[in-house]
Amino acid sequence: MPNRHEIADPGLAQQGQIKIDWVAKWMTVMNTLSERFKSDGIFRNKRIAICIHLEAKTAYLALTIRKLGAEVWITSSNPLSTKDDVAAALAKNGVHVFAKHGASELDFKRYIRAITESKPHVVVDDGGDVSEFLHQNPEFGENLKGICEETTSGVTRLRAAARESKLRYPAIAINDAGSKYLFDNRYGTGQSGWTAIMHLTNMNVAGKVVVVIGYGWVGKGIALRAKGLGAEVIVTEIDPWKALEARMDGMRVMTLITAAPTGDLFITTTGEKYVIREEHFAKMKDGAFLANAGHFDFEIDVPALRKLAISEQEVREEIREFRIAENKSVYLLAQGGIINIAGGLGHPVEIMDLSFSVQLACIHHLLTSEKLSPDVYPVPRHIDEMVVRQKLAVDGIEID
Amino acid sequence: MPNRHEIADPGLAQQGQIKIDWVAKWMTVMNTLSERFKSDGIFRNKRIAICIHLEAKTAYLALTIRKLGAEVWITSSNPLSTKDDVAAALAKNGVHVFAKHGASELDFKRYIRAITESKPHVVVDDGGDVSEFLHQNPEFGENLKGICEETTSGVTRLRAAARESKLRYPAIAINDAGSKYLFDNRYGTGQSGWTAIMHLTNMNVAGKVVVVIGYGWVGKGIALRAKGLGAEVIVTEIDPWKALEARMDGMRVMTLITAAPTGDLFITTTGEKYVIREEHFAKMKDGAFLANAGHFDFEIDVPALRKLAISEQEVREEIREFRIAENKSVYLLAQGGIINIAGGLGHPVEIMDLSFSVQLACIHHLLTSEKLSPDVYPVPRHIDEMVVRQKLAVDGIEID
Amino acid sequence: MPNRHEIADPGLAQQGQIKIDWVAKWMTVMNTLSERFKSDGIFRNKRIAICIHLEAKTAYLALTIRKLGAEVWITSSNPLSTKDDVAAALAKNGVHVFAKHGASELDFKRYIRAITESKPHVVVDDGGDVSEFLHQNPEFGENLKGICEETTSGVTRLRAAARESKLRYPAIAINDAGSKYLFDNRYGTGQSGWTAIMHLTNMNVAGKVVVVIGYGWVGKGIALRAKGLGAEVIVTEIDPWKALEARMDGMRVMTLITAAPTGDLFITTTGEKYVIREEHFAKMKDGAFLANAGHFDFEIDVPALRKLAISEQEVREEIREFRIAENKSVYLLAQGGIINIAGGLGHPVEIMDLSFSVQLACIHHLLTSEKLSPDVYPVPRHIDEMVVRQKLAVDGIEID
Amino acid sequence: MPNRHEIADPGLAQQGQIKIDWVAKWMTVMNTLSERFKSDGIFRNKRIAICIHLEAKTAYLALTIRKLGAEVWITSSNPLSTKDDVAAALAKNGVHVFAKHGASELDFKRYIRAITESKPHVVVDDGGDVSEFLHQNPEFGENLKGICEETTSGVTRLRAAARESKLRYPAIAINDAGSKYLFDNRYGTGQSGWTAIMHLTNMNVAGKVVVVIGYGWVGKGIALRAKGLGAEVIVTEIDPWKALEARMDGMRVMTLITAAPTGDLFITTTGEKYVIREEHFAKMKDGAFLANAGHFDFEIDVPALRKLAISEQEVREEIREFRIAENKSVYLLAQGGIINIAGGLGHPVEIMDLSFSVQLACIHHLLTSEKLSPDVYPVPRHIDEMVVRQKLAVDGIEID
């Protein structure tokens, strides 16, 4: 069967291929796992449906699964993050691809149907949209051995379903693997968030007042790197233990309303809705920047900002100026979307190598296992450990 | 009833009092709690038995309880850590004290009996020795509402007893409070361990190779401060996740046997026995230093070192030289005991303020509660939170 | 007189204008100086010739001078750094512009002639090319009150001329101002060099071995930020004092040949020719990256690398792979040109604000002064101090 | 001739010897130089007079010179820093010693006479007191080939004399050697200042507001280590370039009067008189600490503090409480003397190894040279370089 696809421009395939080849070299853990799984034939003739931000690193996961003998059906978990050239390269390499940058909500739904109508054996999901579809359309789930859910928010939805006994399929909470959550938020977002901010603004970080809202893993990573770049860091928190940790780490700690007039750059990392609100905008100084490093794009109350504004305009790629008083503008980066993806290149390759290696091994695990009862499962410890040990090995690090 | 005591020299009381007055000023959280508990009369006429390293900070906990109306009976959890002047000051202030620096094992046992024969309502224990005694001598435990155990190792013993259904009393695992474990190991030992090392040796840390064995809370604290002091840091670990964390934090990571010839200073932080052994000593360079920052004094295999040595001598206070080859000596700090206590002043005051405030509030909680069934309980979350919020408050830090 | 220009595409003006408007907002020191110089009319009807990398920040300097009443003639000091849209915007704003991206060597020479044939009163030079031309063609220098030379290398050429009594014009060594050299190399290159590397490669810095060659201002900045990003840093030096400084700052220090097999990323910062050579390439591991953060593009011996290579190819924008053995490739960033400009956006705006404010004030100084005798002069201390004090003032920082 | 001495207690010799033996092991650069100078006999039968803080490191310099064949006459540059046990050990080893802890001003003057009446060939001075005496009593200077002056303040006095043509002897400004000033202030005082503060107070640094007054070498060192220990650092400066450097290094920068109500700990590093004054004390919060890390003990206006105080008392070794309002006390460390010496153990051994190696080589240089004309000379570059290269060599560091 020839592969099916709905992509923007097949002519972009070569350009996309170069990008995939680049990440291929550096996803060394996944390459080792792939080598290991080659011989057992577990992937052969299985159907895997994937719905994750479709860029080069994801594409390489898809290609790796393809090379192991499976049929791969893929779409993007967010039409804005789809890279058309990468999609074209996948199509050319025998993957069934349904993805266009900027696709409509309707198309997005159609794509999800498209990748599942093959009745996949395993689904790789990112936020829970495919899961939801398969619960509504169980006929497509009849071969399903399980779901690998990448994110916390997807896992939350699955757990809610499990609690209400509505979960139909076993699911693995990929995010809970130490080899993922200990590294991607702190070191991945910590670095790539700042790369995006510095590249978008071309502004100095040293000597600036950076206000980090939240001191969880993402907040810790953003704050640590801000210090490493020479900023004065203010942390705001609602959790008293984390607030005291931040203080002991040398950060200034105060409420956001107190920090508002001082900050040069505000970065949200909480996962909560509208943590920067009208009352804060009102107290900010002219020239303040706003960025979000949390998963959801609602941490900054952009609607309120828009209402408050006398005028707004795009002043530079992914920088939007909101003039909120005669002599006062604030600048929103990447529309309030997650800064390292919406305004940059996403996590560094090596960080995604860890996450996607966990994914690959968990797919293998689901394909190998007896059918599990519907529930949310942690990543098996031996898989988690194998991935992190492999990472140490490819980096030439020996431990006792 | 006049208070009873067995101390080295009552004449040292004034000197001890000055030390206690010093810490009194800085234990601001405990002072606030003490103020709060004054009115309810809960402590009045209760008997509290305490067995913790007897120095100024512990003494102030005892005095605070005394001031709240309780009778306090105290000994030291380790005769080597007893400060005779502080003991004298306690005796003068109406506390029943049984503690002499360098007391014999036999005396130590006698002291434990002495502080419990009053049949205490609450015991504050540090390592589990009083608990054990009360299990062997239940007649002294008949009024006991519960045990507050300070350390992980004590909690481990209590949990073992609970599993075998041999636990007779309820116990609270003080160490598990976030307001304790998130701060005392990382920031407390991190700072005070280095203060001790620098004060004992008068040597430069910048430009040295510091090998930190273990990257748990203590290891993280020691490694972080080592970097902050300008050292090159090598971390050894057995846990692959922690090893990768250390690497991402910019530390070099390798096995101890590989690090052995390079290190200028080796610091154990694992809680495991004999992690630095003969094979490592053999590869070290002339002039290497050995220190332990973990709870137990057995992380460095001192017996093996002694056997290996051609000669040994005290070359400076708390620095012992072991000549292990014609031109090679290694130097053991503080006899391999926990460096910040055995070779220094212990945790900074503010860190103990957190731990002892949790203690004070848990004693209050046990005295207030209906008798609990024998089990190991976590610190109630509202107490943990109250302590950390109070700390933020006294430091003038507002959070959202 | 209408303005003259030779640019790539006037249609790009609006796009260029947006870029200039962006930097205009953040060059706050220059804006204050411009305000101050408005009233005295010193710039009115003067002719200023500028030859600096033509991008938005330089353009804003030109426009500021134009607004103060002078005629501005401008070209780029390097055709590869010319931004055609910015050039178009300048042309539209009444500046005489001669600059096309990728212009030939011949065109470059013609442009220098073009901007000087107006017989400028002050020349702003970057590397000494205009100076040289004016020494060869003194008829164009007859009105010249002085040269403001931006770089160390330009100053070196001028000083050599002065020593041989061949210098015809007074020149100010802009680079020697504390407000420039204390900040642009360390903080400017330190940040923007890393932004470029991270953006080009999308790779993790944490956990990598970064070899910084040279520990002068640039090296210190690059090394400091590398640590701040979580790298293990190795420094190589020829100067023993700097080597020891690096060591005391916690860096590993060794020879380059020793570091060669270990490094993941090599960054030159020396100003010397061919500091990374064949012998080093030969020892590097597969996947090593090479970048240059020094002024000249000859620090990495690219010709030798090319000769050594079995094959080479562009694998990603500004990343060139040299396959130098069956299983070994090294990757050259930005062709060995200065990484933050050739591979990124140049210094952060605020850093250039300092340098260009010194430039603006020195032009003003030359226009105001009696004609100085031909010599190389330092930036007058009162100008240097005014700029740095103004920077503190616009950032709201008060000092004693 | 038997050696002469005036010391407190010869019985302390053994205790002093242990201290000297300790530093002997770690002054590796000096040991190498000593080996090198052994063969040429230059020191033989020469007389060297030394006046430096008399503690173990200085004693080892004296003993090294003695072992090279010279007669050594020594006193302390400050009676408060004299260690009587070390003095006793020197006396026992054939050095002429005139030094008692706490000697009177009169005795101090007598000692200076005593060490110079042998008509020394070289004088090692620390602050200029011996130099002054020899200018007043030139009969003792008739054999003098030169003075090696350790400190900036001594050099300042010598330079003033040179300017007024009153200098009678050549002098070498030891402090100006890169191998000294690049390391002792920043890394030496940076570390040992904090060791002293932490050891004296047993207080937490993490989470504190540390106000560093001055951002020269000492200020940079103190501020850098404060950050490394987890403090929030505020810098005050009068020099705008240094103020901006501090800002770019991530410090908060403000005036001292603004910082006064916020600081938990104030550390002076300026060399100026009374930089913390009544107006600042008045605004400080209860519990603020005051320390001085500069050379002179007058940076904190202690007389004003004393006048302001309702009462004062010693609350702990080297901590003096000044109660300046009903509920407000500030605490002065080490009487305002230089914190790392008056309140601690002085520079780390390895740092003094650098300084004293420069001293040793400069004495050798003066003894070898033709008599120089009276002037202040820099340390010869070849000596400075030899010392720093030797330091790298003994630490096993190779450079290109």
Side-chain angles (χ1 to χ4, degrees), chain B residues 201-239:
Chain B
T201 64
N202 188 218
M203 289 184 69
N204 217 20
V205 177
K208 288 288 190 309
V209 178
V210 172
V211 181
V212 181
I213 298 147
Y215 204 64
W217 289 121
V218 175
K220 284 183 168 77
I222 292 285
L224 183 67
R225 294 303 173 234
K227 277 199 125 183
L229 289 161
E232 174 193 333
V233 183
I234 293 175
V235 166
T236 78
E237 250 298 345
I238 59 171
D239 176 308

Side-chain angles (χ1 to χ4, degrees), chain B residues 29-86:
Chain B
V29 177
M30 200 158 77
N31 289 339
T32 329
L33 295 197
S34 161
E35 200 59 33
R36 185 179 304 184
F37 293 154
K38 216 159 58 177
S39 53
D40 66 16
I42 291 289
F43 283 86
R44 211 164 302 144
N45 301 322
K46 297 300 185 307
R47 287 179 302 281
I48 314 295
I50 301 177
C51 174
I52 303 196
H53 302 282
L54 210 174
E55 43 83 66
K57 286 158 272 186
T58 311
Y60 188 60
L61 170 64
L63 282 185
T64 300
I65 297 171
R66 178 85 190 96
K67 243 181 271 174
L68 287 168
E71 249 181 48
V72 181
W73 299 72
I74 195 167
T75 187
S76 179
S77 58
N78 185 333
L80 284 174
S81 60
T82 302
K83 306 293 178 196
D84 287 326
D85 53 359
V86 167

Side-chain angles (χ1 to χ4, degrees), chain B residues 42-349:
Chain B
I42 291 289
F43 283 86
R44 211 164 302 144
N45 301 322
K46 297 300 185 307
R47 287 179 302 281
I48 314 295
I50 301 177
C51 174
I52 303 196
H53 302 282
L54 210 174
E55 43 83 66
K57 286 158 272 186
T58 311
Y60 188 60
L61 170 64
L63 282 185
T64 300
I65 297 171
R66 178 85 190 96
K67 243 181 271 174
L68 287 168
E71 249 181 48
V72 181
W73 299 72
I74 195 167
T75 187
S76 179
S77 58
N78 185 333
L80 284 174
S81 60
T82 302
K83 306 293 178 196
D84 287 326
D85 53 359
V86 167
L90 279 183
K92 199 171 173 187
N93 277 281
V95 171
H96 308 276
V97 190
F98 301 82
K100 284 184 188 178
H101 182 81
S104 70
E105 185 66 20
L106 221 71
D107 282 338
F108 176 57
K109 292 208 164 142
R110 198 160 49 77
Y111 294 162
I112 285 184
R113 171 175 293 263
I115 65 163
T116 48
E117 62 191 9
S118 70
K119 302 187 177 171
H121 295 92
V122 174
V123 160
V124 176
D125 207 0
D126 178 63
D129 290 322
V130 183
S131 292
E132 195 185 335
F133 180 82
L134 289 177
H135 279 83
Q136 290 159 354
N137 302 274
E139 66 278 20
F140 296 150
E142 60 191 29
N143 292 321
L144 195 63
K145 299 203 72 174
I147 296 162
C148 293
E149 171 56 51
E150 176 82 0
T151 66
T152 321
S153 46
V155 168
T156 307
R157 289 168 74 178
L158 291 165
R159 288 222 169 93
R163 264 195 309 277
E164 300 171 34
S165 305
K166 290 182 179 160
L167 189 66
R168 280 173 169 271
Y169 316 102
I172 298 183
I174 300 294
N175 188 64
D176 296 356
S179 49
K180 179 177 185 299
Y181 84 85
L182 285 173
F183 303 100
D184 69 345
N185 290 323
R186 225 179 336 165
Y187 307 107
T189 311
Q191 173 179 318
S192 57
W194 279 110
T195 305
I197 291 169
M198 295 188 294
H199 188 75
L200 291 178
T201 64
N202 188 218
M203 289 184 69
N204 217 20
V205 177
K208 288 288 190 309
V209 178
V210 172
V211 181
V212 181
I213 298 147
Y215 204 64
W217 289 121
V218 175
K220 284 183 168 77
I222 292 285
L224 183 67
R225 294 303 173 234
K227 277 199 125 183
L229 289 161
E232 174 193 333
V233 183
I234 293 175
V235 166
T236 78
E237 250 298 345
I238 59 171
D239 176 308
W241 294 271
K242 286 181 184 157
L244 191 53
E245 263 189 300
R247 186 63 185 148
M248 294 288 179
D249 288 339
M251 316 291 172
R252 301 177 70 199
V253 178
M254 59 185 75
T255 61
L256 183 51
I257 201 76
T258 307
T262 324
D264 293 302
L265 171 54
F266 297 80
I267 308 178
T268 53
T269 73
T270 67
E272 301 296 322
K273 195 164 179 178
Y274 292 168
V275 292
I276 310 187
R277 295 178 300 270
E278 183 171 346
E279 65 205 83
H280 306 116
F281 301 138
K283 289 191 173 283
M284 288 178 185
K285 65 181 174 194
D286 176 45
F289 283 83
L290 307 169
N292 166 44
H295 185 75
F296 299 111
D297 61 2
F298 56 42
E299 297 204 30
I300 300 165
D301 187 352
V302 179
L305 186 56
R306 185 151 285 146
K307 245 168 77 184
L308 208 63
I310 302 165
S311 67
E312 59 171 285
Q313 60 167 331
E314 192 84 4
V315 287
R316 202 171 148 103
E317 198 195 336
E318 294 296 352
I319 306 185
R320 197 154 189 90
E321 175 180 8
F322 291 84
R323 212 160 125 254
I324 59 178
E326 199 48 51
N327 288 305
K328 189 164 110 177
S329 292
V330 300
Y331 296 87
L332 179 68
L333 299 183
Q335 305 168 57
I338 181 166
I339 185 69
N340 66 330
I341 295 178
L345 305 171
H347 283 314
V349 183

Side-chain angles (χ1 to χ4, degrees), chain C residues 309-341:
Chain C
I310 302 166
S311 67
E312 59 171 286
Q313 60 167 331
E314 192 84 4
V315 287
R316 200 172 149 102
E317 198 197 337
E318 293 296 353
I319 305 185
R320 196 152 190 92
E321 175 180 10
F322 290 84
R323 212 162 125 252
I324 58 177
E326 199 49 52
N327 288 306
K328 188 164 109 177
S329 291
V330 298
Y331 296 86
L332 179 68
L333 299 183
Q335 305 168 56
I338 181 165
I339 185 69
N340 66 330
I341 295 179

